[in-house]
Amino acid sequence: MNRHISFGLLMLVAGVSLATSAAAQTAPPADPIVKENATIKVAAHTYVIPDGNVGLVPNVGIIVGSRATLVIDPGLGKRNGEAVLREVAKVSKNTELYVASTHYHAEHTTGIAAFPTAKYVNATVQDDEQVKSGAALIKTFSGRSAVTADLLKDATVRKAEISFDRSYTLDLGGVRVRFLVVGPTHTGGDTGFFVEEDGVLFSGDVVMNNSFLAATAVTSMRAWLAAFDAFAALKPKTIVPAHGAVGDGSLIGVNRTVMEEVQELARDLKSQGRSADDTAKAVQAALVAKHPQWPRANGLAAAARAAYLEAP
Ligand SMILES: [Zn+2]
């Protein structure tokens, strides 16, 4: 709390423009709270609560049909889930609710504690990841700050009420949402959601806007490139990544170009006899030089390793 008060004073004393640059260097990360009264309508049935560029806050999706409403990525812990519910009530009168998650990480799942009567629709691979790693992840995220500890104090892993293998279609009444598992990409069970009547794709961490992609130890580069194909085939007009700004269908091509470059560089370096470690470093440096402002540069090294392993 004290840090926020001193930041407020700094704004007063130094003026907003000076304080903004100072804040970028010195302010602690913002608390991971879903912003209320910020919901935007992106298409006829589709709403988004923007993440406001705050870490551990997802872009929350709300898709409203005549029969039921679907929430995608309900935020970190019960308190954020309750904020999401209040936003849902502003755009939907439906009593029948469904919840889904783009992947098993805690800010995309644990807000479901605020939805005891909703049906959680989840891929079996995400369900398995939560059973295996969900509790440990909740503990890790709790350790980040007093606020995250409080948000997650009662958090538990919830099993799906409706599970599916690789794809599923949910009819909300006048609007259908296609669920598509595309992992192993950022995680094993990354799932995209396509709102058919609206042409809106919720792409999780698989397609992002002005960002490198957060590859991890489970990533398959082949799967990631196939995910771009699967998403592109849907011809989305609007793409809502799990974090960062909403964009249009061109985001897929931008992300694909970078990942193809990573793959090509990794293959070249491997064929020259370079080690995986060397390759990861060289690929990361080469791509960061092209997009010096983009976040998630660490993902490049993991992407390069995946491409290296899969190279002939
Ligand atoms: Zn994640």
Side-chain angles (χ1 to χ4, degrees):
M1 266 312 173
N2 278 335
R3 280 141 130 193
H4 288 116
I5 291 163
S6 58
F7 175 59
L9 283 173
L10 184 69
M11 297 270 285
L12 279 174
V13 173
V16 173
S17 62
L18 267 178
T20 306
S21 60
Q25 290 155 18
T26 59
D31 292 335
I33 303 296
V34 170
K35 196 160 185 236
E36 293 190 58
N37 303 310
T39 301
I40 55 167
K41 186 172 188 171
V42 297
H45 311 85
T46 309
Y47 301 82
V48 174
I49 313 175
D51 68 348
N53 252 321
V54 176
L56 297 190
V57 175
N59 286 319
V60 180
I62 304 168
I63 298 102
V64 183
S66 60
R67 178 182 72 80
T69 297
L70 168 67
V71 171
I72 300 171
D73 287 356
L76 188 74
K78 188 176 183 183
R79 189 145 61 89
N80 276 314
E82 287 167 348
V84 170
L85 257 183
R86 287 191 290 274
E87 291 301 284
V88 169
K90 291 171 192 167
V91 297
S92 159
K93 301 271 175 279
N94 291 325
T95 50
E96 193 167 353
L97 293 179
Y98 295 87
V99 177
S101 44
T102 57
H103 58 293
Y104 78 97
H105 290 160
E107 77 270 39
H108 304 274
T109 52
T110 51
I112 201 168
F115 295 78
T117 60
K119 292 191 182 80
Y120 187 16
V121 188
N122 202 10
T124 47
V125 52
Q126 258 197 64
D127 237 12
D128 293 347
E129 284 175 302
Q130 288 204 57
V131 168
K132 191 169 159 238
S133 316
L137 203 59
I138 288 168
K139 213 173 153 194
T140 306
F141 279 39
S142 296
R144 295 222 184 151
S145 73
V147 175
T148 59
D150 185 56
L151 287 167
L152 291 170
K153 63 178 186 289
D154 307 315
T156 52
V157 165
R158 172 138 152 212
K159 293 274 280 177
E161 275 81 32
I162 298 172
S163 35
F164 64 96
D165 184 18
R166 300 297 291 185
S167 66
Y168 182 80
T169 300
L170 179 62
D171 191 337
L172 297 168
V175 61
R176 297 195 308 167
V177 184
R178 210 183 308 171
F179 295 40
L180 199 61
V181 177
V182 294
T185 38
H186 170 62
T187 66
D190 285 315
T191 304
F193 302 87
F194 185 61
V195 187
E196 289 182 353
E197 284 74 7
D198 287 357
V200 179
L201 174 67
F202 288 83
S203 60
D205 283 20
V206 179
V207 171
M208 302 190 101
N209 195 348
N210 286 316
S211 173
F212 295 113
L213 296 167
T216 62
V218 305
T219 295
S220 157
M221 200 53 130
R222 281 192 202 117
W224 216 309
L225 294 171
F228 294 144
D229 291 341
F231 284 168
L234 299 168
K235 298 188 169 50
K237 288 198 283 273
T238 305
I239 295 181
V240 185
H243 303 278
V246 173
D248 64 21
S250 70
L251 296 188
I252 298 169
V254 175
N255 281 261
R256 185 207 295 273
T257 300
V258 171
M259 286 307 231
E260 282 177 349
E261 245 176 306
V262 167
Q263 188 184 53
E264 204 179 304
L265 272 171
R267 283 182 174 174
D268 274 4
L269 292 170
K270 186 176 183 179
S271 73
Q272 292 165 26
R274 302 271 292 271
S275 72
D277 282 351
D278 248 21
T279 299
K281 264 187 223 150
V283 169
Q284 181 165 341
L287 273 299
V288 166
K290 285 194 172 182
H291 306 283
Q293 308 298 331
W294 283 10
R296 302 182 181 84
N298 286 343
L300 288 165
R305 280 174 204 283
Y308 187 98
L309 275 175
E310 289 173 353

